[in-house]
Amino acid sequence: MRIILLGPPGAGKGTQCKRLVEKYGAVHLSSGDILRAERAIGTELGKKAQNYMDSGGLVPDDLIVAMMVGAMKKAGKGGFILDGFPRTVVQAEELDRALDKAGEKIDALLNLQIDDAVVASRMTGRRSCPKCGAVYHIENLKPRVNNVCDRDGMELMQRKDDQPEVVANRLKTYHEQTEQVIGYYENKKPVISIDAGMEIDDVTKAIFAELGKLKTK
Ligand code: AP5
Ligand code: MG
């Protein structure tokens, strides 16, 4: 299965992707997670991406496309869930070109919809595992032990770009540049809109139900 998962910051892309990969066995490819890993080990790409990420803007298309096409090649034949990529129409066009070349295709785009007003509290309460990327929330999705990852016992961290002023900019960037990507796919692929304002488990159920219909078509 090859899926694109889009939605504003805090829509729950990372949270839902973890569940999708468990069910479908595809590889989770989050452009944001890959960039954070590059930064953590201090690569050239990580250094170039730093200022864009910290201000809530987008990293230049050429860097992102090269990074994601490389990651897709490594994913193998089991498929992938693209989380937060493509985020511009140029990235979408480049993705199409790369998939054509590889003889692969996207099955559907999942569009997680949520009001900007709901995003703020999700962002301030988010905590993530620096090792495995598991995502928690101090109220909505607590780890078993306070501030410790259930999977590997690492201390959880707060993302730098979750400060309110950066979140506001990320939302602005989303509306100005990424929403157009939904329009780009509308006549090309099934575009499935999901109400991401529901409880986490209900969002998962809605996604599985929609993907189930798709597979039986
Ligand atoms: P990225 O890491 O992709 O950030 P984002 O898109 O802003 O999305 P988030 O990861 O913040 O939110 P999410 O939707 O994954 O929500 P989550 O599941 O964590 O990108 C970071 C930066 O990298 C970008 O700003 C940009 O600079 C750069 N970048 C990345 N991709 C790029 C690209 N393609 N092109 C150019 N630049 C790129 O959930 C959030 C919180 O809410 C969690 O605490 C969770 O527990 C909680 N939660 C989730 N669902 C629910 C629910 N239903 N109810 C209640 N709480 C919930
Ligand atoms: Mg995420």
mmCIF file of all heavy atoms in Angstrom, residues 16-34:
data_model
loop_
_atom_site.group_PDB
_atom_site.id
_atom_site.type_symbol
_atom_site.label_atom_id
_atom_site.label_comp_id
_atom_site.label_asym_id
_atom_site.label_seq_id
_atom_site.Cartn_x
_atom_site.Cartn_y
_atom_site.Cartn_z
ATOM 1 N N GLN A 16 -1.283 8.670 13.709
ATOM 2 C CA GLN A 16 -2.057 7.718 12.897
ATOM 3 C C GLN A 16 -1.135 6.845 12.042
ATOM 4 O O GLN A 16 -1.439 5.672 11.808
ATOM 5 C CB GLN A 16 -3.082 8.462 12.026
ATOM 6 C CG GLN A 16 -4.133 9.234 12.832
ATOM 7 C CD GLN A 16 -4.946 8.339 13.774
ATOM 8 O OE1 GLN A 16 -5.160 7.146 13.509
ATOM 9 N NE2 GLN A 16 -5.412 8.890 14.885
ATOM 10 N N CYS A 17 -0.007 7.411 11.594
ATOM 11 C CA CYS A 17 0.932 6.620 10.778
ATOM 12 C C CYS A 17 1.458 5.426 11.541
ATOM 13 O O CYS A 17 1.610 4.338 10.980
ATOM 14 C CB CYS A 17 2.112 7.480 10.332
ATOM 15 S SG CYS A 17 1.770 8.362 8.837
ATOM 16 N N LYS A 18 1.740 5.619 12.843
ATOM 17 C CA LYS A 18 2.256 4.498 13.644
ATOM 18 C C LYS A 18 1.251 3.343 13.603
ATOM 19 O O LYS A 18 1.616 2.175 13.559
ATOM 20 C CB LYS A 18 2.476 4.915 15.104
ATOM 21 C CG LYS A 18 3.473 6.034 15.285
ATOM 22 C CD LYS A 18 4.913 5.531 15.321
ATOM 23 C CE LYS A 18 5.894 6.682 15.417
ATOM 24 N NZ LYS A 18 6.991 6.669 14.491
ATOM 25 N N ARG A 19 -0.036 3.673 13.634
ATOM 26 C CA ARG A 19 -1.068 2.625 13.648
ATOM 27 C C ARG A 19 -1.241 2.011 12.251
ATOM 28 O O ARG A 19 -1.467 0.810 12.113
ATOM 29 C CB ARG A 19 -2.393 3.225 14.131
ATOM 30 C CG ARG A 19 -2.254 3.692 15.573
ATOM 31 C CD ARG A 19 -3.377 4.561 16.040
ATOM 32 N NE ARG A 19 -3.213 4.853 17.461
ATOM 33 C CZ ARG A 19 -4.202 4.940 18.331
ATOM 34 N NH1 ARG A 19 -5.447 4.792 17.927
ATOM 35 N NH2 ARG A 19 -3.967 5.199 19.600
ATOM 36 N N LEU A 20 -1.119 2.851 11.233
ATOM 37 C CA LEU A 20 -1.239 2.351 9.858
ATOM 38 C C LEU A 20 -0.128 1.362 9.516
ATOM 39 O O LEU A 20 -0.382 0.334 8.891
ATOM 40 C CB LEU A 20 -1.175 3.522 8.873
ATOM 41 C CG LEU A 20 -2.483 4.265 8.648
ATOM 42 C CD1 LEU A 20 -2.228 5.612 7.988
ATOM 43 C CD2 LEU A 20 -3.406 3.432 7.776
ATOM 44 N N VAL A 21 1.091 1.674 9.940
ATOM 45 C CA VAL A 21 2.187 0.757 9.589
ATOM 46 C C VAL A 21 2.047 -0.556 10.343
ATOM 47 O O VAL A 21 2.388 -1.618 9.829
ATOM 48 C CB VAL A 21 3.604 1.356 9.791
ATOM 49 C CG1 VAL A 21 3.845 2.532 8.886
ATOM 50 C CG2 VAL A 21 3.872 1.747 11.216
ATOM 51 N N GLU A 22 1.522 -0.482 11.584
ATOM 52 C CA GLU A 22 1.306 -1.741 12.331
ATOM 53 C C GLU A 22 0.303 -2.619 11.601
ATOM 54 O O GLU A 22 0.435 -3.826 11.512
ATOM 55 C CB GLU A 22 0.788 -1.442 13.742
ATOM 56 C CG GLU A 22 1.925 -1.209 14.730
ATOM 57 C CD GLU A 22 1.468 -0.578 16.037
ATOM 58 O OE1 GLU A 22 0.291 -0.764 16.418
ATOM 59 O OE2 GLU A 22 2.298 0.111 16.664
ATOM 60 N N LYS A 23 -0.747 -2.003 11.053
ATOM 61 C CA LYS A 23 -1.791 -2.796 10.394
ATOM 62 C C LYS A 23 -1.383 -3.267 8.996
ATOM 63 O O LYS A 23 -1.620 -4.400 8.619
ATOM 64 C CB LYS A 23 -3.082 -1.978 10.309
ATOM 65 C CG LYS A 23 -4.255 -2.763 9.741
ATOM 66 C CD LYS A 23 -5.542 -1.960 9.868
ATOM 67 C CE LYS A 23 -6.664 -2.532 9.046
ATOM 68 N NZ LYS A 23 -7.384 -3.611 9.710
ATOM 69 N N TYR A 24 -0.767 -2.366 8.230
ATOM 70 C CA TYR A 24 -0.513 -2.696 6.819
ATOM 71 C C TYR A 24 0.923 -3.117 6.516
ATOM 72 O O TYR A 24 1.225 -3.505 5.382
ATOM 73 C CB TYR A 24 -0.888 -1.505 5.924
ATOM 74 C CG TYR A 24 -2.368 -1.232 5.928
ATOM 75 C CD1 TYR A 24 -2.906 -0.167 6.635
ATOM 76 C CD2 TYR A 24 -3.245 -2.063 5.230
ATOM 77 C CE1 TYR A 24 -4.271 0.074 6.647
ATOM 78 C CE2 TYR A 24 -4.611 -1.828 5.238
ATOM 79 C CZ TYR A 24 -5.118 -0.761 5.946
ATOM 80 O OH TYR A 24 -6.468 -0.533 5.962
ATOM 81 N N GLY A 25 1.809 -2.951 7.517
ATOM 82 C CA GLY A 25 3.186 -3.410 7.312
ATOM 83 C C GLY A 25 3.998 -2.559 6.338
ATOM 84 O O GLY A 25 5.078 -2.959 5.925
ATOM 85 N N ALA A 26 3.490 -1.387 5.983
ATOM 86 C CA ALA A 26 4.262 -0.508 5.101
ATOM 87 C C ALA A 26 5.278 0.277 5.945
ATOM 88 O O ALA A 26 5.244 0.221 7.175
ATOM 89 C CB ALA A 26 3.315 0.452 4.397
ATOM 90 N N VAL A 27 6.177 0.996 5.272
ATOM 91 C CA VAL A 27 7.196 1.765 5.984
ATOM 92 C C VAL A 27 6.691 3.198 6.192
ATOM 93 O O VAL A 27 6.133 3.800 5.276
ATOM 94 C CB VAL A 27 8.513 1.786 5.158
ATOM 95 C CG1 VAL A 27 9.593 2.569 5.879
ATOM 96 C CG2 VAL A 27 8.991 0.363 4.897
ATOM 97 N N HIS A 28 6.899 3.720 7.384
ATOM 98 C CA HIS A 28 6.488 5.099 7.700
ATOM 99 C C HIS A 28 7.594 6.058 7.277
ATOM 100 O O HIS A 28 8.694 6.006 7.829
ATOM 101 C CB HIS A 28 6.223 5.192 9.212
ATOM 102 C CG HIS A 28 5.865 6.564 9.684
ATOM 103 N ND1 HIS A 28 5.868 6.920 11.009
ATOM 104 C CD2 HIS A 28 5.467 7.671 9.030
ATOM 105 C CE1 HIS A 28 5.493 8.188 11.138
ATOM 106 N NE2 HIS A 28 5.255 8.666 9.953
ATOM 107 N N LEU A 29 7.321 6.918 6.312
ATOM 108 C CA LEU A 29 8.331 7.884 5.875
ATOM 109 C C LEU A 29 7.851 9.301 6.177
ATOM 110 O O LEU A 29 7.073 9.881 5.410
ATOM 111 C CB LEU A 29 8.611 7.726 4.377
ATOM 112 C CG LEU A 29 9.176 6.373 3.926
ATOM 113 C CD1 LEU A 29 9.362 6.344 2.407
ATOM 114 C CD2 LEU A 29 10.503 6.071 4.621
ATOM 115 N N SER A 30 8.283 9.835 7.299
ATOM 116 C CA SER A 30 7.908 11.189 7.702
ATOM 117 C C SER A 30 9.043 12.132 7.352
ATOM 118 O O SER A 30 10.154 11.996 7.871
ATOM 119 C CB SER A 30 7.660 11.215 9.221
ATOM 120 O OG SER A 30 7.824 12.532 9.724
ATOM 121 N N SER A 31 8.752 13.096 6.464
ATOM 122 C CA SER A 31 9.819 14.029 6.073
ATOM 123 C C SER A 31 10.310 14.803 7.301
ATOM 124 O O SER A 31 11.509 15.034 7.455
ATOM 125 C CB SER A 31 9.348 14.973 4.970
ATOM 126 O OG SER A 31 8.051 15.445 5.218
ATOM 127 N N GLY A 32 9.398 15.165 8.210
ATOM 128 C CA GLY A 32 9.802 15.890 9.419
ATOM 129 C C GLY A 32 10.712 15.044 10.301
ATOM 130 O O GLY A 32 11.750 15.511 10.779
ATOM 131 N N ASP A 33 10.350 13.759 10.502
ATOM 132 C CA ASP A 33 11.186 12.880 11.344
ATOM 133 C C ASP A 33 12.564 12.666 10.718
ATOM 134 O O ASP A 33 13.586 12.644 11.417
ATOM 135 C CB ASP A 33 10.527 11.498 11.527
ATOM 136 C CG ASP A 33 9.339 11.539 12.480
ATOM 137 O OD1 ASP A 33 9.120 12.580 13.128
ATOM 138 O OD2 ASP A 33 8.622 10.523 12.563
ATOM 139 N N ILE A 34 12.591 12.500 9.392
ATOM 140 C CA ILE A 34 13.888 12.264 8.728
ATOM 141 C C ILE A 34 14.771 13.518 8.879
ATOM 142 O O ILE A 34 15.957 13.427 9.191
ATOM 143 C CB ILE A 34 13.701 11.869 7.241
ATOM 144 C CG1 ILE A 34 12.909 10.557 7.132
ATOM 145 C CG2 ILE A 34 15.058 11.727 6.544
ATOM 146 C CD1 ILE A 34 12.534 10.151 5.715
#
